Amino acid sequence: MTVDTLALNNAFVEDYLKRFVQEELHTSGFTEACIALSGGLDSALVLKLAVDALGADHVHAIFLPYKISSAESKRDVRTMFEFCGIPWQELDISGMADAYLALQPGIDRLRTGNLLARLRMAVIFDQSKKENALVVGTSNKSELLVGYSTWYGDMACAIMPIGDLYKTQVRSLARHIGLPQQVIAKPPSADLWAGQTDEGEIGVSYETLDQVLYLLVDQRCSSAEVISEGFDLDLVQRVERKILTSQFKRVPPPIAKLSQRTVGTDFLYPRDWRK
């Protein structure tokens, strides 16, 4: 199997995702969107889709750096603000983060990274209240399936426009839309510490990961069938483990059922059911 298997009709997908953003905000009674920009491709693509769907005046994007955030992140965020024609907004989270970190001697960098992701979401949700806006998430399908995201951090949002696009599909759509090349070409990174990259932490390139995920999830192939396609046994088992051990992140918290109608079990309605 090759990456071509993941090819999409980008013109159709672009139009569909813009309508998705419009309709989800409308059915929820909102006209404004709030997005946290990181300097990475995913948030850049979501910003462009939201601006094209709603208009620049209705999209509130904010850069939320920590003191070790790279200069390249700020550069690429500024590029996207200018590309989309929206005013610069920056709120540095260093003070609030350091106040807590000072109380946690010896905290490791994973906990620190999770803390920063959750602080950013706390800020973006507060800003969304100020703007009477819905928070638009920027996670892609590759991250969601392997759990490479922070629970109630970058996963926290009202809608996820690109949550069903693998990373390779995100890149393809970004090229189609014409995002700045420097944003498309940069190595994916959560920018949590110097030199950190997504693929370094996950342990495999997105091109390979996406093919394995596509076979396991979309095609419902067994491990043996995926391996027969030429993928390494250890890689396939590692990806399967990541999917299984991160499932708790992708579902609502289970509720102990005691009554006739339980939220999430028997009481099931779309968010606009009242209309």
Side-chain angles (χ1 to χ4, degrees):
M1 196 190 76
T2 67
V3 174
D4 291 340
T5 309
L6 300 173
L8 297 173
N9 181 332
N10 282 319
F12 170 80
V13 172
E14 178 189 6
D15 181 64
Y16 175 78
L17 293 181
K18 288 190 290 190
R19 284 188 286 112
F20 171 83
V21 172
Q22 291 169 338
E23 291 170 6
E24 288 300 319
L25 263 70
H26 174 73
T27 57
S28 300
F30 289 83
T31 61
E32 311 294 303
C34 211
I35 303 172
L37 279 199
S38 66
L41 179 57
D42 296 331
S43 63
L45 177 59
V46 171
L47 174 65
K48 177 60 173 168
L49 290 168
V51 166
D52 288 350
L54 306 171
D57 292 344
H58 296 284
V59 178
H60 309 275
I62 309 174
F63 179 44
L64 301 164
Y66 181 57
K67 61 186 180 184
I68 61 170
S69 296
S70 69
E72 290 77 14
S73 291
K74 186 168 186 174
R75 176 201 67 193
D76 293 339
V77 170
R78 191 174 292 279
T79 295
M80 284 308 303
F81 272 87
E82 293 170 356
F83 183 74
C84 293
I86 58 176
W88 177 258
Q89 290 194 78
E90 177 181 345
L91 291 171
D92 193 306
I93 65 167
S94 300
M96 66 177 82
D98 286 346
Y100 178 78
L101 292 172
L103 304 175
Q104 300 294 312
I107 188 171
D108 62 42
R109 64 185 188 180
L110 179 58
R111 282 178 60 202
T112 300
N114 285 337
L115 173 71
L116 297 179
R118 291 179 177 123
L119 286 176
R120 288 184 172 110
M121 281 302 104
V123 172
I124 205 70
F125 270 90
D126 177 66
Q127 291 295 305
S128 75
K129 179 62 177 176
K130 182 180 80 170
E131 303 293 349
N132 193 29
L134 277 187
V135 174
V136 180
T138 64
S139 295
N140 63 61
K141 189 172 184 176
S142 308
E143 296 171 337
L144 292 172
L145 283 174
V146 299
Y148 187 67
S149 48
T150 300
W151 204 28
Y152 299 111
D154 51 313
M155 291 181 72
C157 60
I159 61 172
M160 279 190 187
I162 63 170
D164 204 24
L165 291 179
Y166 289 110
K167 186 70 173 192
T168 46
Q169 295 171 326
V170 168
R171 286 196 189 116
S172 176
L173 182 58
R175 291 190 191 100
H176 165 77
I177 290 176
L179 294 193
Q181 182 58 29
Q182 71 185 44
V183 177
I184 297 173
K186 71 186 294 186
S189 171
D191 200 20
L192 298 176
W193 54 81
Q196 184 259 345
T197 66
D198 294 4
E199 291 169 323
E201 280 201 89
I202 297 171
V204 63
S205 72
Y206 274 118
E207 283 75 12
T208 300
L209 174 64
D210 288 354
Q211 294 176 62
V212 174
L213 288 172
Y214 175 78
L215 289 172
L216 289 172
V217 176
D218 296 79
Q219 295 299 301
R220 299 173 184 256
C221 293
S222 67
S223 300
E225 289 171 325
V226 178
I227 293 164
S228 73
E229 291 284 339
F231 295 99
D232 180 71
L233 169 64
D234 178 66
L235 170 63
V236 175
Q237 290 179 336
R238 281 196 294 118
V239 172
E240 278 192 312
R241 268 197 310 274
K242 287 179 182 292
I243 295 172
L244 291 171
T245 57
S246 61
Q247 174 63 5
F248 72 95
K249 294 183 177 183
R250 293 184 293 269
V251 296
I255 296 174
K257 183 171 177 58
L258 294 170
S259 67
Q260 214 169 15
R261 298 190 73 196
T262 305
V263 172
T265 303
D266 314 290
F267 190 78
L268 297 168
Y269 291 100
R271 68 172 73 198
D272 60 335
W273 70 281
R274 66 192 181 283
K275 295 185 178 179

